[in-house]
Amino acid sequence: MREFTETRDAETADEIWLVEHPPVYTLGRNGDPAHILASTDIPVVESDRGGQVTYHGPGQLVAYILFDLNRLGIGVRSLVTGLENAVIATLSQYGIKAEARRDAPGVYVSAKKIASLGLRIRKGCSYHGLSLNVDMDLSPFAAINPCGYAGLEVTRLADLGVEAKTMEVAVALVGAVIREFSYKGCE
C-alpha cells in the first residue's frame, strides 16, 4: 500500500484491495500499547494507520481504500463518513440497521462495533481502510480495548443472523463504496 501510494501519480486509478488476514493485532501509529490487555499467541504488528489497537482474522473482510482524495475533491472527514455510509448501506442489504458515531469512527449495531476504520493519508491519497466482521472468532477482542475503548463490545454478521461468506459481503461493500463516491468505474 505504501509503495502504491508513494509511486502513484495523478493518472493512477484508485483501487480497493480486499483481503482476510491471519490472526493479528495491529496498533496504529499513535496507538497506546496499554490498550493491549493480555499477552496471547497472536502477534502484535505496529501499523502506520491512524487509530488504536484492533484485531484482524479469518472471517473478517478488510478493504484497503487506495483513493486520490484530491481527484475526488474530498477531505479526510468526507472519506471517513463515506466509508461509514457504505458499510451502513451494505448492512442494510442484509436487513441490519446500523449507525456511525461522530465520537468514535466505525459502524455500530445496537452499540456494538461491527466495522472499524483506520486510515493514512499521504500525498493527498488514502491507504489502509476498514474491516467488517462477517463470521469470525470474536474472542481475541477480549485481550484488547478495541479501538482504544475499554469495554467496547463487538459483533459480527453471523451473530445478527446473516449467513454469508466474506467475499460475498465484499461484493456488496464494493458496490456501496462505488455508489457512495460516485464512481463510474473502479479497478
Side-chain angles (χ1 to χ4, degrees):
M1 288 179 292
R2 274 177 277 182
E3 181 180 335
F4 177 87
T5 301
E6 287 297 325
T7 60
R8 71 182 297 172
D9 60 30
E11 303 304 314
T12 303
D14 291 342
E15 296 184 5
I16 301 172
W17 297 356
L18 304 169
V19 301
E20 282 183 79
H21 285 294
V24 64
Y25 293 109
T26 62
L27 185 64
R29 61 184 281 181
N30 295 316
D32 184 349
H35 290 297
I36 301 169
L37 306 175
S39 179
T40 71
D41 292 339
I42 299 171
V44 177
V45 175
E46 291 186 14
S47 172
D48 66 340
R49 65 161 171 77
Q52 290 287 335
V53 65
T54 195
Y55 169 72
H56 298 299
Q60 181 187 64
L61 172 61
V62 177
Y64 292 120
I65 309 298
L66 307 167
F67 285 1
D68 183 331
L69 303 187
N70 296 326
R71 184 170 50 225
L72 287 172
I74 64 172
V76 177
R77 183 71 239 169
S78 293
L79 175 63
V80 169
T81 299
L83 293 174
E84 290 170 334
N85 288 343
V87 171
I88 291 167
T90 300
L91 296 176
S92 177
Q93 292 180 42
Y94 292 98
I96 296 169
K97 182 174 175 13
E99 64 184 6
R101 291 177 24 189
R102 185 78 171 168
D103 65 325
V107 176
Y108 300 80
V109 176
S110 300
K112 295 180 180 178
K113 196 165 200 174
I114 193 166
S116 298
L117 278 83
L119 298 163
R120 177 77 191 262
I121 309 301
R122 181 98 171 96
K123 295 172 41 180
C125 298
S126 66
Y127 64 104
H128 291 290
L130 65 91
S131 60
L132 175 59
N133 303 336
V134 178
D135 189 10
M136 66 186 300
D137 177 8
L138 297 177
S139 64
F141 282 101
I144 62 172
N145 286 330
C147 305
Y149 292 93
L152 178 65
E153 293 183 68
V154 293
T155 191
R156 59 190 181 158
L157 284 171
D159 289 339
L160 301 170
V162 175
E163 293 182 26
K165 301 287 184 201
T166 305
M167 286 304 141
E168 176 186 331
V169 176
V171 172
L173 178 65
V174 169
V177 169
I178 288 170
R179 285 187 297 280
E180 185 66 32
F181 293 98
S182 303
Y183 275 98
K184 304 291 187 266
C186 189
E187 291 189 24

